[in-house]
Amino acid sequence: MSLESCRAIDNTFGPYAGHCRGGFDFTLLFEETLLSILPLCAVLSIAPWRIVYLLRRTVKVLYALISILQIALIALWASPSAVRTRTSIPNAAVTLVGTLALGVLSYAEHQRTIRPSLILEAYLLLSLIFDAARVRTLWLQDYNDILAAISTVAFAIKICLLVVEIVGKRKLLRDEYASQSPEATSGLFGKSLFLWLNPLFRTGYKRSLSVDDLIPLDKHLTSDYLHDRLHQPWVDTSKKGPRSLLMLFFRQFRWRFLAAVPPRLGLIAFNFCQPFLIERVIHFNREPVNGSTKNVGYGLIGAYFLVYVGIAVTTGQYYHMTYRAITMARGGLVSMMFAKTPLVKANGADPASSLTLMSADIERITNGWQTMHECWANVIEISLAIWLLERQLGPACAIPIGVAIGKLAPS
């Protein structure tokens, strides 16, 4: 397409840029709006509250450098010779404000927390993926070379920022915090990929493990912490019914139980991306080989990479969060029973029943909780599976559904 046509298309929301830049690109307006302004506004809505929270508890040069580059980008976008969209200048201005806010947040996180910032790591990772698309678009335009060059430098600095934020600060902690669990001092990448377990694996590879080699227990899993969270609220419960203890657990550890919901939703999304990818690959194999289809092939490779990495990460996090909540429930129940043991003996009750409750009954409770999130997740998955069947088979999808219900009915 002509240069003027591509300029006009870039000033529309799109998102598809038509046949511009090889027919495999977004419009610049779409990239500036959804891939730059939207995630930055989401972070800016969270950052002030996080900074205030951190300042109540007992500058990085890279952020200053990238701020200077953002000022230069504002000036270049505002110049009469720049070919811009309606959101180019607002996007550069919001990015400058966001960069300054993230610098303050980074300083507060570094000074007042023992782990890398979850907010900064997540934003920098997502923005790097989105910025890669924007930088590619600017280079392919052929009429914004200076802007493309400065954006590329800013992109490289943002990679350095992400590396700096990922690096742990365990060696910089005060003595009273240096003994924390490696999981507690790990950031988003360390927890998502379970990198905090690598030192233990290396030690076990070299020699047999001893008790002293084991990782320190997270404070949220210790019996003292769990007993303090449960004992007094249980004593203060006036009306104790059949479900009072269950409701107490959900009330005291609700965020621990709900922590497994986001990775489970992510796992559902990644799993159901697979049939769409397979369908697209089948259609792709029927298309002639040319420059456009090659770009589509590279895109499919990237999509498969993201989907299967996403499945691995969300599966690991889902089970990790689920079993962490189960461990807290088991630890809380056992600590409460141990606290009750002297009273049982003083009253002359049979201690054997307490031992049974502490072993078999608690094991039964924790085994049941292993699938507590599968109840709602399976409803979503079944609904999506029926919808996918209906897309392919139409009303005939009722036949396999009826067969499945018929098989389940006797059980």
Side-chain angles (χ1 to χ4, degrees):
M1 298 182 71
S2 65
L3 191 62
E4 292 299 326
S5 299
C6 289
R7 289 179 179 180
I9 291 174
D10 275 331
N11 201 26
T12 62
F13 187 76
Y16 178 51
H19 294 287
C20 297
R21 298 180 287 278
F24 190 74
D25 200 10
F26 296 121
T27 64
L28 187 59
L29 181 65
F30 173 81
E31 293 174 346
E32 290 171 342
T33 306
L34 258 66
L35 304 187
S36 182
I37 296 177
L38 184 62
L40 193 56
C41 289
V43 173
L44 287 176
S45 65
I46 301 173
W49 305 103
R50 179 65 177 172
I51 293 172
V52 171
Y53 168 75
L54 292 173
L55 292 178
R56 293 176 180 175
R57 301 180 62 178
T58 304
V59 164
K60 291 186 167 48
V61 177
L62 289 173
Y63 280 101
L65 183 57
I66 200 172
S67 299
I68 295 173
L69 291 175
Q70 292 302 328
I71 294 173
L73 284 173
I74 292 176
L76 289 172
W77 279 119
S79 64
S81 60
V83 180
R84 56 181 177 268
T85 67
R86 299 189 301 272
T87 57
S88 295
I89 296 177
N91 172 60
V94 171
T95 303
L96 174 61
V97 175
T99 302
L100 295 174
L102 292 177
V104 176
L105 177 61
S106 177
Y107 177 80
E109 292 274 6
H110 179 72
Q111 293 289 327
R112 298 176 184 268
T113 62
I114 63 174
R115 65 173 67 87
S117 173
L118 174 66
I119 296 174
L120 288 173
E121 286 189 57
Y123 168 73
L124 289 173
L125 177 62
L126 287 176
S127 66
L128 279 174
I129 298 174
F130 297 154
D131 286 354
R134 289 192 66 235
V135 170
R136 176 181 179 272
T137 298
L138 290 173
W139 280 113
L140 291 176
Q141 282 180 335
D142 292 332
Y143 46 80
N144 279 325
D145 290 344
I146 298 177
L147 285 165
I150 295 179
S151 298
T152 303
V153 175
F155 179 79
I157 294 175
K158 192 173 285 189
I159 294 175
C160 298
L161 279 172
L162 180 60
V163 173
V164 170
E165 294 293 345
I166 289 174
V167 174
K169 48 188 174 182
R170 191 175 186 86
K171 296 180 181 178
L172 304 176
L173 297 177
R174 295 180 179 177
D175 294 337
E176 59 265 31
Y177 301 112
S179 60
Q180 292 282 344
S181 167
E183 182 183 5
T185 58
S186 297
L188 176 65
F189 279 83
K191 290 185 176 180
S192 298
L193 303 177
F194 298 99
L195 300 179
W196 52 276
L197 289 172
N198 286 346
L200 181 64
F201 291 151
R202 284 195 295 266
T203 304
Y205 178 77
K206 295 176 183 177
R207 55 182 170 82
S208 297
L209 293 174
S210 63
V211 176
D212 296 333
D213 295 324
L214 298 181
I215 294 174
L217 192 64
D218 191 339
K219 70 174 184 178
H220 297 106
L221 300 177
T222 59
S223 298
D224 292 339
Y225 171 83
L226 297 172
H227 184 265
D228 292 340
R229 290 291 304 272
L230 293 174
H231 177 68
Q232 195 57 46
W234 177 250
V235 172
D236 296 339
T237 302
S238 57
K239 297 181 180 179
K240 294 183 172 66
R243 298 181 181 86
S244 298
L245 187 59
L246 178 64
M247 293 298 103
L248 176 65
F249 267 98
F250 285 138
R251 189 166 60 249
Q252 293 299 110
F253 301 120
R254 56 185 177 276
W255 298 118
R256 301 295 176 181
F257 286 107
L258 294 176
V261 173
R264 188 65 181 90
L265 289 173
L267 181 60
I268 293 173
F270 286 121
N271 280 332
F272 279 91
C273 282
Q274 294 179 86
F276 293 104
L277 280 176
I278 294 173
E279 182 181 18
R280 184 65 185 90
V281 168
I282 292 173
H283 290 299
F284 173 74
N285 286 332
R286 298 171 182 170
E287 297 174 0
V289 178
N290 52 47
S292 177
T293 55
K294 283 184 178 179
N295 288 330
V296 173
Y298 294 142
L300 287 172
I301 292 172
Y304 267 99
F305 175 79
L306 291 176
V307 166
Y308 284 107
V309 169
I311 289 175
V313 171
T314 52
T315 300
Q317 289 302 304
Y318 166 60
Y319 284 111
H320 177 60
M321 294 300 175
T322 299
Y323 282 101
R324 184 181 176 87
I326 291 173
T327 302
M328 295 178 72
R330 182 168 52 210
L333 285 171
V334 171
S335 63
M336 291 176 68
M337 290 179 189
F338 268 111
K340 202 77 173 178
T341 300
L343 299 176
V344 171
K345 292 183 179 180
N347 295 332
D350 184 11
S353 59
S354 300
L355 292 175
T356 302
L357 184 62
M358 198 176 301
S359 57
D361 292 348
I362 288 182
E363 193 66 24
R364 191 180 300 113
I365 292 171
T366 55
N367 286 339
W369 281 10
Q370 292 177 13
T371 56
M372 59 182 171
H373 291 291
E374 295 300 317
C375 299
W376 59 266
N378 286 341
V379 173
I380 298 175
E381 290 180 333
I382 291 171
S383 302
L384 290 174
I386 293 174
W387 173 68
L388 288 175
L389 276 176
E390 193 277 333
R391 288 178 71 245
Q392 299 295 327
L393 304 178
C397 70
I399 297 174
I401 296 172
V403 172
I405 295 175
K407 290 289 185 180
L408 292 174
S411 60

